[in-house]
Amino acid sequence: MVARPVVLTVRICDYAGHMTVAATTVTVQSRPALLGWSPPNSTPADLSAMLTRFPQPRLLRLYTGAGGGLASWSGSLLSGTPRNATLIYSFKDRPASLDVAGWLSARPVSWTAPIYLCWAHEPEQGPTAGDPTPDEFRQGWRDLIAALAGHPRRSQVRLLPVFTEYAARRAGTWWADFGQVAALAGVDAVGFDIYDTGYPAYRTPVERNDFALAAARRAGKPLVIAEWGIARKGFDADGTLCAQAMRDNMSHLRRQPDVAAVSWFYRGDCNLDNRTPERQAFVELMA
């Protein structure tokens, strides 16, 4: 368990409009960050293959692309998903065009684990890549929050905007354009996809995660690393340095009191099937 401080604030307003504010800090215990995976593609076949490679995951991530709406609970994808594993689920269609409340109402009672629900992950790529404009992104999140406000099963989902660490770090207007969504009332956690692409060396855990942690802490919410991956660098012939970078990264994140979950993106140059040291590190870290 990891100890973390939580500030409890009470605001009381009397009939004359006088406001009294009181705050106290308490220390709560939180579990170290979960580590899981995302299959190469969100298909039943890829999900099944990953469950064969790494059975009984504690965390996994799935997606539905544009035009796919929200995945049916009885469809071939979600019906093959372990119901005791925390799920990070992303969808692309505008929340106002979907029956999000009805989708949550239909969630099977046998589904016991939390679900992080994300609309329009990695929005920074822009409309030419099929992503919303900043205005559309902010409105879409307001629509999603409103659609689930007061829902009797609202506690069963955690609303999670997911941003692109590489792009956000380099955009001076990122908070005004996209990041401010993280601070909306009704958003439960802040997500980032974090890779070492574009860096000649493996970044240290602090270098890799400082921006995402700062953004989540600015909003006062837990951090979820919804996609994580480290490609093997050319100077690291056998992958032992990459494996150590993976261990160091998770050790650092698990020492943070406000990191909830990390999902390895098992695809492309982050597929570990033929990367023995890195795969061994991954297996150890998931244990």
Side-chain angles (χ1 to χ4, degrees):
M1 302 294 284
V2 181
R4 65 185 178 95
V6 174
V7 178
L8 303 178
T9 303
V10 176
R11 295 177 176 84
I12 301 174
C13 185
D14 63 20
Y15 287 108
H18 302 115
M19 179 70 72
T20 299
V21 180
T24 187
T25 300
V26 298
T27 299
V28 300
Q29 298 292 323
S30 60
R31 295 185 181 278
L34 294 173
L35 175 62
W37 43 259
S38 173
N41 299 285
S42 283
T43 64
D46 278 12
L47 174 61
S48 177
M50 284 294 288
L51 288 170
T52 299
R53 288 185 185 96
F54 306 110
Q56 299 180 326
R58 291 190 291 166
L59 172 85
L60 54 87
R61 186 179 189 193
L62 297 172
Y63 307 79
T64 296
L70 290 160
S72 168
W73 298 105
S74 59
S76 56
L77 184 63
L78 290 188
S79 64
T81 302
R83 298 187 177 190
N84 61 347
T86 295
L87 173 63
I88 304 171
Y89 174 58
S90 292
F91 67 99
K92 285 289 190 179
D93 293 340
R94 302 291 173 89
S97 70
L98 303 172
D99 181 10
V100 183
W103 178 81
L104 179 54
S105 295
R107 172 177 146 143
V109 295
S110 59
W111 205 297
T112 58
I115 294 179
Y116 288 95
L117 185 62
C118 171
W119 174 65
H121 71 277
E122 292 194 336
E124 298 90 349
Q125 299 173 88
T128 57
D131 289 325
T133 66
D135 284 343
E136 291 168 338
F137 183 73
R138 295 191 298 268
Q139 184 58 53
W141 270 95
R142 288 192 290 267
D143 291 340
L144 178 57
I145 292 166
L148 294 179
H151 194 289
R153 302 178 74 178
R154 173 64 175 84
S155 63
Q156 297 177 7
V157 294
R158 300 170 185 176
L159 296 185
L160 174 77
V162 175
F163 308 103
T164 316
E165 182 262 347
Y166 185 92
R169 185 185 286 274
R170 287 159 177 76
T173 63
W174 174 79
W175 181 266
D177 290 341
F178 299 104
Q180 62 175 286
V181 163
L184 291 176
V187 164
D188 301 300
V190 181
F192 276 89
D193 293 346
I194 302 179
Y195 298 90
D196 272 6
T197 305
Y199 294 90
Y202 299 121
R203 288 188 286 174
T204 68
V206 171
E207 291 168 339
R208 186 177 295 113
N209 298 292
D210 59 351
F211 183 92
L213 281 165
R217 288 166 180 170
R218 178 177 181 175
K221 294 166 186 177
L223 173 66
V224 171
I225 299 175
E227 288 180 18
W228 173 43
I230 305 179
R232 186 186 293 184
K233 303 294 184 182
F235 58 82
D236 183 14
D238 63 1
T240 55
L241 296 177
C242 184
Q244 189 58 49
M246 294 168 66
R247 293 186 177 98
D248 292 345
N249 189 73
M250 282 306 302
S251 177
H252 172 72
L253 292 174
R254 283 173 168 160
R255 288 195 300 269
Q256 310 307 309
D258 48 356
V259 179
V262 182
S263 177
W264 183 271
F265 195 43
Y266 211 89
R267 179 174 177 171
D269 56 14
C270 295
N271 184 309
L272 304 181
D273 284 355
N274 297 309
R275 295 171 59 185
T276 301
E278 296 99 317
R279 180 185 170 106
Q280 182 60 38
F282 184 60
V283 170
E284 292 170 0
L285 290 165
M286 283 198 300

